[in-house]
Amino acid sequence: MNVFLNDLIAYWPQILMGLKNTLLLMAVMSITGFFGGIGVFYLSISKWEIVRKWTQSYISFFIGTPLLVHLFLMYYGLPRLGIHLSAFTVCVIGFTLNVSAYNARYLMTAYRGLHKSELDAALAQGFTPFETFRLIILPQVLRLSVPSLTNQVIQNIKDTSVAFLIQYPDFFTQMQEIAAVNFQFFKAYMTAGLVYMAMVSVIVVAARKMERQIALPGLQT
Amino acid sequence: MTFWKILIILAEGAGYTILVTIAAMVAGLAVGLLTAVLSRLHRKYVDIFLDVYKYIFRSIPVLVILFLVYFGLPGIGIRVPPFLSMVVSLGLVSGAYLAEIFRGAMAAVSNNEMMAAEAAGLKRTQIFSHIILPQMFRMSVPGMINEFTSILKYTPFAYTVGIPEIMKAAMTLAAMTLRGLEIYLAAGIIYFVIYKGFIMMFAAVEKKFHIPGLLVE
Amino acid sequence: MALIEVKNLIKNFDGKNILRGVNMELHEGRSKVVMGPSGCGKTTLLRCLNLLIAPTAGQIIFKGNDITRPGVDIRRLRQDIGFVFQHFALYSHLTVEENVTLGLRKIKKMKKKDAVEKATYELERVGMFDHRNKYPAQLSGGQKQRAAIVRALAMDPAVMFLDEPTSALDPQMSREVVTVINKLYLDNITMLCVTHDPFLAKYISDSIVFMHEGVVVAEDIAERLFYDHDDPRIRQFFLSVIDHR
Ligand SMILES: Nc1ncnc2c1ncn2[C@@H]1O[C@H](COP(=O)(O)OP(=O)(O)O)[C@@H](O)[C@H]1O
Ligand SMILES: [Mg+2]
């Protein structure tokens, strides 16, 4: 243990940097994925059938293909077209496309459970379709989807570990490097696992707190 | 090299991808089912054990678990072959999620029906196998499909432990031809075809076993 | 000798006295209805009698054996009692026929063919044969309850327990079910039925037991109990449930 502990201390700045990168990536993709999800959801209930269809295909494709393929496609494929993106940029784009698809699907599910008479009432009252979306649909659908959306954030922090496969210097990458130096793979991965558990726990606690705060009486999640 | 040729070369790795997916799904179902059975015992220590298991495997990234199993365990004297590492890791993770899905579905089985079965004189094991399980499985279908999708999404990790599946084939080909763009696009298409194929299969199975009025949430 | 003899039956829930010494008997081939205000312990009584809940004290003599003693074969007992619930409790993943045959096959260990034959016979008796391949969700309330009655009846129980079999039904469907239970009555099936419905009570009972706060306070035939009974608690009850127009 001593050797391993010493290395942990010696590599502390690097680990810290890795943690920072992991959290940064998680935060960015959670935010872009959140707004992306709303956008995709908006398109998926468009009155134009062609738009709905393409949006469905988009959602289906990004849920049905592994994220890693998209990352590799951009990171190793795009340079052939002369487009060189940093690992971080690739991650943000790839994760955003992916997370938006998932979030849009949660919002769709909630939307299906909505009382459509409210929407008729809003339209009848003179709200435009976009106002109806923004003022009636979205607030309800978002509330109903809180558990799914927060679960997605937990998924996000775990999925950041994939970024290491395209050389993004995240937390997991740093732990790998320590292991590569002292060959204490078991301890390194155990430590990594515990740290991920800690980060997830923080999100879980925060999410529960938020769920309680924004709950509306009578509106079930 | 035509795009068609690329597709054919990558498709050769699809066998492993499908194999890993099915094996992990079977492992996950077995683990999920076992936890469902154990949770019916309502024993305090069993429940705590199950909760801890679920929490751990839903909190740690699949990649970290896979590396721990394949690269880490040899450090304490346990060597796990690549395919088994992949199946164990994915199986334990999806088992933890399926356990939750099954738990929710079991809670949705009507108490009235269970009481009627008890009043009729069915044994506890009979109530479980004839009333609870058949309803639980049907109500879990959407959750099981999501879980399957997750498994497929993580199968490319198999390349990191040297299993020659689609991603591995794509990387090898990309290194040789420097045509990453077409190659990874082709890989994406193959994964999507596999995904759609499985989804269609599930839909067919679900239709065959569909029962009017049994709520699928 | 009575088929069921209940002696001073007591049931406490969390220190609360729900059954406070119930005495009654039921003879083979006879049918009794239990009435009384909500919460007086009618459901609790039925559930004690087939040991779905354990009595706190007292005796239940079933076919000459005290079933409150340790070592009774609970499953054997329950096979002898057909239970029909207010909310039908049909197994929602099984068709009507499968609902009926499950017990025949798994409890009575009948062969599938024989079980289906038996189910067919019983379903025909209540006019449910045409619906045998439907799932519970595809039936009306009355059809559900008729199927539930058949499910219990097909086991050839020594006695049928019915707990408010018509309360969840609208009048039209309720009538459908009353007709079926009345048929059982005319066939001399032994029955113990809890209900609030005077119409049902009158047409399916030899006598009516009136319960109040965990004890039996009267037992009589419908006519004498329904109108102008001496006991004010009974008068009050029937004033509220009988339409006196
Ligand atoms: N499992 C239980 N635990 C605690 N109290 C119960 C339970 N079951 C019934 N009770 C109480 O016993 C009383 C009688 O209930 P019940 O037998 O269902 O009445 P009835 O069927 O006559 O309307 C009620 O006050 C009810 O709250
Ligand atoms: Mg009752």
Side-chain angles (χ1 to χ4, degrees), chain C residues 13-14 16 18 37-45 163-164:
Chain C
F13 277 125
D14 330 311
K16 263 201 332 193
I18 303 301
S38 267
C40 73
K42 304 179 298 292
T43 297
T44 305
L45 174 64
D163 192 357
E164 306 203 28

Side-chain angles (χ1 to χ4, degrees), chain C residues 79 81-84 100 104 108 118-119 121-123 125-126 145-162 180-181 183-185 187-191:
Chain C
Q79 287 177 46
I81 300 175
F83 213 120
V84 175
V100 179
L104 296 174
K108 294 223 158 194
K118 170 83 173 154
Y121 171 74
E122 299 288 350
L123 285 168
R125 272 174 65 173
V126 300
Q145 196 58 300
R146 281 191 282 159
I149 290 171
V150 171
R151 181 175 68 180
L153 201 59
M155 299 289 287
D156 291 323
V159 55
M160 292 278 284
F161 286 2
L162 303 103
V180 168
I181 303 176
K183 214 152 147 196
L184 305 187
Y185 173 65
D187 285 347
N188 290 323
I189 305 268
T190 318
M191 287 193 285

Side-chain angles (χ1 to χ4, degrees), chain B residues 50-62:
Chain B
L50 293 181
D51 283 346
V52 170
Y53 155 68
K54 283 188 274 186
Y55 197 76
I56 291 176
F57 283 90
R58 280 152 27 117
S59 304
I60 304 181
V62 174

Side-chain angles (χ1 to χ4, degrees), chain B residues 112-113 115-123 126 130-131 134-135 211-214, chain C residues 47 50 52 75 78 85 87 89-93 102 106-107 109 135 137-138 151:
Chain B
N112 284 338
E113 289 175 34
M115 176 149 31
E118 203 188 333
L122 285 166
K123 280 188 280 200
Q126 288 176 320
H130 294 293
I131 312 294
Q135 298 199 28
I211 286 173
L214 250 198
Chain C
R47 289 191 176 167
N50 80 340
L52 270 177
R75 293 187 54 232
R78 288 178 183 164
F85 299 84
H87 292 288
L90 290 173
Y91 308 131
S92 39
H93 63 300
L102 182 72
K106 300 299 165 187
I107 300 171
K109 308 288 179 205
Y135 287 95
Q138 298 169 307
R151 181 175 68 180

Side-chain angles (χ1 to χ4, degrees), chain C residues 147-212:
Chain C
I149 290 171
V150 171
R151 181 175 68 180
L153 201 59
M155 299 289 287
D156 291 323
V159 55
M160 292 278 284
F161 286 2
L162 303 103
D163 192 357
E164 306 203 28
T166 56
S167 309
L169 303 173
D170 66 30
Q172 160 67 31
M173 292 175 184
S174 174
R175 201 137 303 202
E176 220 174 279
V177 171
V178 172
T179 309
V180 168
I181 303 176
N182 178 248
K183 214 152 147 196
L184 305 187
Y185 173 65
L186 297 176
D187 285 347
N188 290 323
I189 305 268
T190 318
M191 287 193 285
L192 187 59
C193 175
V194 170
T195 184
H196 283 287
D197 178 0
F199 178 75
L200 174 66
K202 190 168 164 176
Y203 285 102
I204 65 157
S205 69
D206 296 314
S207 72
I208 298 175
V209 168
F210 191 86
M211 274 180 75
H212 193 266

Side-chain angles (χ1 to χ4, degrees), chain A residues 59-146:
Chain A
I59 294 175
S60 177
F61 184 76
F62 277 90
I63 286 179
T65 51
L67 172 71
L68 193 60
V69 175
H70 307 146
L71 298 185
F72 274 33
L73 182 63
M74 283 186 281
Y75 195 70
Y76 297 115
L78 284 185
R80 210 169 104 85
L81 302 180
I83 306 170
H84 295 268
L85 301 175
S86 73
F88 180 74
T89 313
V90 166
C91 281
V92 170
I93 298 174
F95 274 108
T96 301
L97 291 172
N98 189 269
V99 175
S100 300
Y102 275 94
N103 283 347
R105 183 168 275 191
Y106 306 140
L107 298 177
M108 285 283 288
T109 306
Y111 176 74
R112 272 190 229 109
L114 226 58
H115 295 291
K116 300 295 185 296
S117 56
E118 284 179 36
L119 312 185
D120 290 340
L123 291 172
Q125 220 185 337
F127 288 113
T128 66
F130 185 70
E131 282 168 335
T132 308
F133 177 78
R134 196 166 57 85
L135 300 171
I136 314 290
I137 298 179
L138 204 51
Q140 297 198 47
V141 163
L142 282 178
R143 271 204 182 80
L144 290 168
S145 315
V146 165

Side-chain angles (χ1 to χ4, degrees), chain C residues 198-230:
Chain C
F199 178 75
L200 174 66
K202 190 168 164 176
Y203 285 102
I204 65 157
S205 69
D206 296 314
S207 72
I208 298 175
V209 168
F210 191 86
M211 274 180 75
H212 193 266
E213 294 186 355
V215 283
V216 174
V217 295
E219 175 165 356
D220 216 327
I221 57 166
E223 283 73 16
R224 283 207 291 269
L225 211 56
F226 284 7
Y227 308 104
D228 277 332
H229 198 274
D230 297 335

